[in-house]
Amino acid sequence: MDKRVKRHVKAKVHDFFAVTAPGLSGICAAELAALPLSMPGTEVVDGGVEFSGRLPDLYLANLCLATASRVLIRVAGFIARDFDRLSREVERVPWELLLPAGCRLAVDVSCRGSRLYHTGAVAERTEEAVARVMDQARAPLAREGGAGYVQRLFVRGVADGFVLSLDSSGELLHKRGVIAAGPARAPLRQTLAAAILRLCGYDGLMPLVDPMAGTGSFSVEAAFLAKNMPPGWFRDFPFPSWPAFSEKTFEHQKKTLAQEFKTLTSPSIFASDLDPEAATALADRVERLGFTDAVRTAGADFFYLDPRDLAPGPGLVVINPPYGLRLGDETQAKDIFSRVARRLRDKYPGWRVGLLSPQAGWAGGLGWTRGPEVTRLVHGGRPVFLFAGTV
Ligand SMILES: C[S@@+](CC[C@H](N)C(=O)[O-])C[C@H]1O[C@@H](n2cnc3c(N)ncnc32)[C@H](O)[C@@H]1O
């Protein structure tokens, strides 16, 4: 078995897919290009980034990518026009070399223009075929409702072509392992916050002011960059349960990364919120992450803050204002936007600004000296526009 795992999984070059939210694939490709992976080259496609490599590259991608939602490993691709063919093709995969005995399988199917269009039936046939292979190898899957971790298997059908991919991330990667324990008003996903910082040109060194911080998504992502820590450092992944997992390699990767972590002598990130409960939860989250060397927190009203009290010179101020989410709130949203814009123009000259807006046409009023670049992103299923420039 060990020899087969080595030959068929460990020694092989695999195709991986980093799934991203709309608008984030280009940034994710740049992140991948900066990682010390075993093979160069990425391809941005619909919904994410394709790359190739060996299994340890997958560990590194999960640990280090700030903007990917999950990372998949492609395990099979075939044409199937009927269920018998589907079952036969799934049975050709040596599942026992990929999955541990006793895991539970969750099959997620999407079909577009496929003759096998009934996704429930495709899932059922796929699971049955995997279970037969695992039974034959005397490594049975857990029965429905049984214990054991849940391994997701994605089946994507486009016309009659099917691709099978195993998930290597478990919980979505925007979950960094430590969440805020207080009120959360439309928190940004950490992946989106990470992308916004990169689109604003944040480099981990310049001062950062996050004056409507809420749960602290921007500040937490900024702290990962400032401390040179991978954003997946505090969370778990399913791949340590795989038969081909090499603990030695993973530990070595983590040790190498940890040697580059920085402890800062004074925080360059300032995070505050008007809501005292939010500010307390924010302070607690920063403390639990061990980021107090990087992030200073406070309860404060943005409209009374003066950046000269917060940083030695201009840096980046990044704001996701409290816009209402319903359409009827447009006048109120525009009013908040204008007030925030005026404050930024008057008090933050020379600063980079990252400002989220529900409308693409509201960029005026800030007195931009450079930019702004406007990027369409998606937050909570709705479009939002990032204005990034210098005032
Ligand atoms: C949309 S939420 C920000 C969410 C944040 N980006 C996150 O990921 O959790 C807006 C935040 O602005 C805060 N806020 C509203 N008015 C404020 C003000 N005048 N000064 C500071 N914070 C304010 C709210 O309490 C709320 O936490």
Side-chain angles (χ1 to χ4, degrees):
M1 171 85 168
D2 276 0
K3 269 194 194 149
R4 290 182 63 222
V5 169
K6 206 168 185 175
R7 182 144 42 93
H8 293 287
V9 190
K10 288 188 183 175
K12 253 182 77 176
V13 171
H14 301 276
D15 290 333
F16 302 126
F17 186 59
V19 181
T20 60
L24 307 198
S25 50
I27 305 166
C28 184
E31 282 196 88
L32 276 164
L35 288 180
L37 303 179
S38 62
M39 299 180 69
T42 59
E43 190 169 346
V44 175
V45 296
D46 209 17
V49 190
E50 293 179 339
F51 63 109
S52 301
R54 298 185 193 277
L55 220 48
D57 295 326
L58 192 73
Y59 314 158
L60 212 55
N62 272 292
L63 273 174
C64 297
L65 290 179
T67 58
S69 308
R70 59 169 86 249
V71 189
L72 311 179
I73 172 169
R74 296 209 156 144
V75 292
F78 51 80
I79 302 284
R81 297 190 178 89
D82 57 61
F83 283 114
D84 285 348
R85 180 63 187 258
L86 176 80
S87 298
R88 278 203 307 280
E89 291 289 351
V90 176
E91 281 180 31
R92 280 157 60 101
V93 178
W95 293 103
E96 76 280 11
L97 307 182
L98 298 166
L99 303 176
C103 74
R104 286 193 292 143
L105 205 60
V107 185
D108 183 307
V109 181
S110 74
C111 298
R112 196 154 27 102
S114 314
R115 236 165 283 198
L116 299 179
Y117 60 87
H118 191 309
T119 53
V122 170
E124 208 176 299
R125 292 298 189 104
T126 303
E127 182 165 356
E128 284 167 5
V130 176
R132 277 196 293 279
V133 174
M134 295 297 280
D135 283 345
Q136 245 166 34
R138 296 206 182 84
L141 297 173
R143 298 272 159 257
E144 205 179 316
Y149 89 90
V150 179
Q151 173 65 56
R152 268 169 182 271
L153 170 64
F154 289 92
V155 180
R156 292 282 171 262
V158 176
D160 296 326
F162 286 85
V163 171
L164 270 50
S165 308
L166 279 179
D167 169 44
S168 69
S169 305
E171 275 208 288
L172 285 167
L173 292 175
H174 73 82
K175 300 202 171 163
R176 305 294 199 223
V178 179
I179 57 165
R185 292 184 190 93
L188 292 176
R189 288 194 164 185
Q190 294 294 146
T191 38
L192 184 56
I196 289 170
L197 291 179
R198 284 159 177 81
L199 286 165
C200 292
Y202 178 69
D203 59 3
L205 300 170
M206 63 179 72
L208 179 94
V209 172
D210 177 13
M212 292 191 177
T215 57
S217 317
F218 290 129
S219 294
V220 166
E221 286 315 300
F224 279 121
L225 281 167
K227 291 176 70 58
N228 206 26
M229 288 180 74
W233 190 253
F234 297 110
R235 49 163 290 151
D236 296 323
F237 304 101
F239 54 75
S241 302
W242 293 358
F245 175 68
S246 164
E247 186 165 358
K248 204 170 135 204
T249 307
F250 191 44
E251 287 309 317
H252 178 70
Q253 286 176 328
K254 288 203 286 188
K255 204 171 142 198
T256 309
L257 288 166
Q259 278 164 358
E260 302 299 322
F261 290 1
K262 288 188 205 161
T263 302
L264 304 165
T265 46
S266 68
S268 60
I269 301 164
F270 175 80
S272 58
D273 200 283
L274 178 65
D275 177 348
E277 236 188 297
T280 305
L282 177 68
D284 175 60
R285 187 182 189 197
V286 168
E287 172 99 40
R288 282 183 295 134
L289 282 158
F291 283 176
T292 47
D293 61 324
V295 186
R296 179 158 72 93
T297 62
D301 186 338
F302 163 68
F303 295 102
Y304 289 91
L305 285 176
D306 188 324
R308 287 169 301 188
D309 301 331
L310 310 176
L316 168 67
V317 51
V318 65
I319 307 187
N320 168 27
Y323 302 123
L325 285 178
R326 292 182 305 276
L327 277 177
D329 295 336
E330 190 171 318
T331 321
Q332 187 211 1
K334 194 161 189 183
D335 178 55
I336 295 172
F337 185 90
S338 309
R339 288 175 57 221
V340 170
R342 222 174 305 131
R343 184 80 191 168
L344 289 171
R345 184 196 61 202
D346 294 346
K347 294 287 175 188
Y348 293 75
W351 281 69
R352 286 170 191 252
V353 169
L355 181 58
L356 279 180
S357 159
Q359 297 287 341
W362 291 0
L366 266 95
W368 300 100
T369 57
R370 233 185 53 214
E373 300 247 345
V374 184
T375 310
R376 185 186 192 277
L377 300 164
V378 176
H379 168 40
R382 288 163 191 274
V384 281
F385 298 88
L386 170 71
F387 299 141
T390 304
V391 289

